[in-house]
Amino acid sequence: MPEIRNYTMNFGPQHPAAHGVLRLVLEMDGEVVERADPHIGLLHRGTEKLAESKPYNQSIGYMDRLDYVSMMCNEHGYVMAIEKLLGVEVPERAQYIRTMFDEITRILNHLMWLGTHGLDVGAMAMFLYCFREREDLMDCYEAVSGARLHATYYRPGGVARDLPDRMPQYESSRFTSKSTAGKLNDSRQGSLLDFVEDFTNRFPKCIDEYETLLTDNRIWKQRTVGIGVVSPERALQLGFTGPMLRGSGIEWDIRKKQPYASYDKVDFDIPVGTNGDCYDRYLVRVEEMRQSSGIIKQCVEWLRANPGPVLTEDHKIAPPRRGEMKGDMESLIHHFKLFTEGFCLPEGEAYAAVEHPKGEFGCFLVSDGANKPYRLKVRAAGFAHIAALDEMARGHMLSDVVAIIGTQDIVFGEIDR
Amino acid sequence: MDGLILTIVSVFKILLVMVPLILSVAYLTLFERKVIGFMHARIGPNRVGFKGLAQPFADVFKLLTKEVIVPTNSSRFLFLTAPVLSLAPAFAAWAVIPFTDGWQIADVNAGLLYVLAMTSIGVYGVIIAGWASNSKYAFLGAMRSAAQIVAYEIAMGFALIGVLMMSGSLNLGDIVRAQAGGFTNWYVLPLFPLAIVYFISGVAETNRAPFDVAEGESEIVAGFHVDYSGMAFALFFLAEYANMIMIAALAAILFLGGWMSPIDGFGDGIHWFLIKTVALLFVFVWLRATFPRYRYDQIMRLGWKVFIPVTIVWIAVVGFAIYFEVGPWFSTVRGGGL
């Protein structure tokens, strides 16, 4: 009798379901996974170390590139840590703008997740439907910061500038006919707030569309129900946060438990799962998109009614207005100092966490009183999740590993940093 | 002299089937991409030629000019044989397909068995490709495909037994002629469960979504043909699409009355056959655009625990109905059904 041995399979880093650069060494018994060993570090860019050699305000752009599908939430965690150490007051309008863009980012992230998760499980249509809506939100990013992905919009003490009065327009070209461009521009005639409001009106119907394709689909259910089950106790022990934790039935959301920005002033619910399987996490995230849409709507209403400053007037931290600089020596000095030396933080340490779409995203800053951090530690939600991959995938089949990677909503930018 | 003429005529007939078949395979890929494109809220290929109509040719030329890479550790002979083994049966099966009354290359009495045999041989191409590649991904794909095809071949065979009982013939032409006289006589009505089982098994047998675990692009990348490139890959592609058309054409013949018009005396002819085939092909594409992929063990369960029992039960029902001559369909069954 020949001895029957398990074989190892190298899943990734060049694999369509590896979500970037996950290298997974699987020990397989036929189709059944006996052991899953995730290898990370293939997207390591040394963000934390880089931040140590740059003034505080020049590292914001690095934060965008951590979890590159939920850019502004990363920025939020970082600027909040700085603000905590500085003790600077953030204008209320800026808080609302941050809340709104955090939720826009949450939808962006969840759409990306839903699309790729669907694609992993084989539902190709989801990917394209999700990206259709994602495009509109990218336009919001573009309108407000000029960049579609890496916005660098949040600044210590507020946001870079107020919301624009007009949206960028599509132009007709060789590939876009005049009527198509006109149709695309229809909802882009007013201000950014008009556009965002129009989106929140449209979006719930789009979610219904996604749900008709997946929620009651027998194949989708067969592929996700009972796959990658994590008990509530185990989820806590593993350090899960965000939808991964809520999918297991634990009602934990930093937006509610330790409100930041203006989350204490908006009304929303936290969806919670019961079984802790892939299907529950799917339902949780889909419901979160609906809730986010509601939060955005409330923010739009408030922002319409309450104009005001969006950046702190303390010019030691935030640059003065362009006009002031032209006539005022002190403003010019402030500007020069800010863009060469930056600002110094008082000695000490601070941890600030936000409810990132993937879980708890936190920045731990240690300052020795210089204009650069002594140490910056980023707590990435995905790191704890991928650490549990072995436990979640053990005993499942190869196809389920793909579904589990999808449900963890892994992005390597933040895991490898 | 007679032999020579017969050969020339046969070759001519074969060309008459093969050339349009290869062309329709080419355009089926475009059709698929366009239809899925529109279902996905995008456009699909529209750059090459007028509205993208030259796209299939661009694809073919691209693949022709690509190098066929043979992996170092593969079994060279088997590696290169496999695509041929998968393509040849896919084309050979077309020999007995009646396009319209009398239009078929070979009027074989056991036509149905011949088709079943040919489509079953195709699995060797897949298994050999997976084995010869000497890659774990390809091997997994081959194993999945082998198990899947065995399971669904049985369900498919049982589904065809129903047709056989109704028509009393294995000759595909006779099966169509038995369904003459409007759509009420089509076998899809009395044999509805079998028709559904047959079509779904056909989707599974051709490794199409949602049963495409043998390729499973997000799991085992491309499955059995992960190591193939250039024309060797194109042959697999060609075989898959030829099989798709084959299954659709067979479904049209066996259950939808082949070249018969839906309303009696409305002009039977090849156009009806083509319309039915294209409609069924559209369903293939539609399925791919909509559904997630089954897991390998779920496919097995569906095949063994659902389809095979369903077909067996329905065959028994049909047997009783024919024996007791239950109207409206079973009272007129011609000659020796049982």
Side-chain angles (χ1 to χ4, degrees), chain A residues 7-11 15-17 31 120-122 125 128-129 175 217 222-223 227 397-400 402, chain B residues 39-42 47 136-137 140 144 217-221 288-298:
Chain A
Y7 64 100
T8 47
M9 204 163 106
N10 202 9
F11 186 99
H15 190 284
E31 285 262 338
D120 285 348
V121 179
L128 291 136
Y129 289 171
F175 304 103
N217 186 320
Q222 284 184 17
R223 287 297 306 275
I227 305 297
M397 301 184 92
L398 178 61
S399 317
D400 299 330
V402 174
Chain B
M39 285 179 181
H40 284 172
R42 59 193 169 88
R47 290 283 155 226
K136 283 167 187 166
Y137 284 100
L140 267 180
R144 285 176 171 196
E217 58 202 90
S218 60
E219 295 153 22
I220 48 173
V221 195
R288 179 170 171 200
T290 327
F291 281 125
R293 183 181 304 114
Y294 268 110
R295 202 172 63 204
Y296 161 71
D297 62 319
Q298 290 162 348

Side-chain angles (χ1 to χ4, degrees), chain A residues 36-200:
Chain A
D37 185 9
H39 289 211
I40 60 165
L42 290 146
L43 199 62
H44 177 66
R45 293 158 299 178
T47 306
E48 290 171 359
K49 196 72 192 164
L50 277 168
E52 286 172 22
S53 59
K54 297 254 185 312
Y56 288 101
N57 53 359
Q58 289 182 22
S59 300
I60 303 173
Y62 285 128
M63 300 302 131
D64 284 313
R65 288 152 179 85
L66 285 176
D67 179 357
Y68 43 77
V69 292
S70 34
M71 296 68 74
M72 288 204 194
C73 286
N74 304 337
E75 291 173 23
H76 203 166
Y78 180 65
V79 296
M80 265 172 62
I82 296 175
E83 283 158 7
K84 213 169 182 176
L85 265 180
L86 274 175
V88 65
E89 196 68 30
V90 181
E92 200 177 5
R93 187 173 165 84
Q95 299 281 28
Y96 267 95
I97 293 178
R98 283 184 183 180
T99 309
M100 184 175 88
F101 269 98
D102 272 12
E103 294 311 312
I104 287 180
T105 308
R106 196 176 311 281
I107 296 180
L108 267 176
N109 178 79
H110 283 0
L111 281 178
M112 177 82 187
W113 159 80
L114 183 59
T116 49
H117 189 28
L119 193 65
D120 285 348
V121 179
M124 213 192 334
M126 288 317 300
F127 186 70
L128 291 136
Y129 289 171
C130 289
F131 268 64
R132 183 184 56 192
E133 268 72 63
R134 241 179 142 245
E135 199 62 21
D136 287 342
L137 296 174
M138 287 294 180
D139 284 352
C140 297
Y141 264 49
E142 188 185 346
V144 88
S145 71
R148 281 162 50 85
L149 280 170
H150 302 307
T152 326
Y153 178 57
Y154 293 5
R155 302 288 160 85
V159 294
R161 63 190 186 113
D162 207 348
L163 302 172
D165 293 329
R166 52 186 296 274
M167 288 292 292
Q169 306 284 313
Y170 278 92
E171 277 173 16
S172 58
S173 70
R174 200 152 69 84
F175 304 103
T176 320
S177 70
K178 217 167 197 141
S179 63
T180 321
K183 233 177 266 165
L184 286 166
N185 286 336
D186 265 352
S187 53
R188 289 173 173 78
Q189 291 309 317
S191 67
L192 173 74
L193 285 176
D194 295 334
F195 180 71
V196 171
E197 189 175 27
D198 179 61
F199 179 81
T200 55

Side-chain angles (χ1 to χ4, degrees), chain B residues 19-263:
Chain B
V19 173
L21 179 63
I22 291 175
L23 275 179
S24 36
V25 166
Y27 276 93
L28 180 57
T29 60
L30 183 67
F31 174 74
E32 178 179 31
R33 289 168 72 178
K34 273 287 186 193
V35 169
I36 292 188
F38 285 121
M39 285 179 181
H40 284 172
R42 59 193 169 88
I43 301 169
N46 69 342
R47 290 283 155 226
V48 190
F50 177 71
K51 299 265 176 203
L53 278 177
Q55 183 70 41
F57 295 101
D59 291 342
V60 167
F61 287 128
K62 189 203 86 172
L63 286 167
L64 271 174
T65 50
K66 290 248 163 175
E67 182 190 359
V68 178
I69 299 166
V70 183
T72 319
N73 290 327
S74 65
S75 162
R76 194 182 167 85
F77 173 71
L78 287 179
F79 188 82
L80 295 175
T81 316
V84 182
L85 258 181
S86 131
L87 182 69
F91 280 161
W94 282 89
V96 294
I97 298 293
F99 294 92
T100 180
D101 212 353
W103 281 26
Q104 65 197 109
I105 298 177
D107 193 3
V108 185
N109 271 332
L112 196 55
L113 281 183
Y114 171 81
V115 168
L116 264 183
M118 279 301 150
T119 48
S120 307
I121 289 176
V123 72
Y124 282 108
V126 174
I127 295 175
I128 291 175
W131 180 259
S133 301
N134 197 13
S135 147
K136 283 167 187 166
Y137 284 100
F139 184 62
L140 267 180
M143 289 300 105
R144 285 176 171 196
S145 171
Q148 180 187 344
I149 290 187
V150 167
Y152 281 84
E153 196 79 6
I154 296 173
M156 204 166 172
F158 274 132
L160 297 185
I161 285 177
V163 177
L164 180 59
M165 287 163 78
M166 289 287 288
S167 65
S169 170
L170 278 170
N171 185 310
L172 291 175
D174 287 347
I175 291 175
V176 176
R177 277 184 283 275
Q179 301 177 61
F183 70 94
T184 48
N185 284 0
W186 291 358
Y187 287 159
V188 67
L189 296 177
L191 301 178
F192 187 71
L194 296 185
I196 296 296
V197 169
Y198 171 79
F199 190 73
I200 297 177
S201 304
V203 176
E205 178 131 335
T206 47
N207 284 328
R208 294 283 305 174
F211 303 98
D212 56 344
V213 287
E215 290 173 31
E217 58 202 90
S218 60
E219 295 153 22
I220 48 173
V221 195
F224 62 92
H225 59 48
V226 68
D227 277 324
Y228 283 84
S229 60
M231 215 46 212
F233 165 75
L235 290 188
F236 278 118
F237 207 70
L238 215 62
E240 181 183 327
Y241 280 79
N243 272 328
M244 243 169 93
I245 305 179
M246 178 79 207
I247 295 290
L250 262 186
I253 287 170
L254 299 172
F255 295 103
L256 299 175
W259 65 80
M260 299 293 177
S261 110
I263 298 154

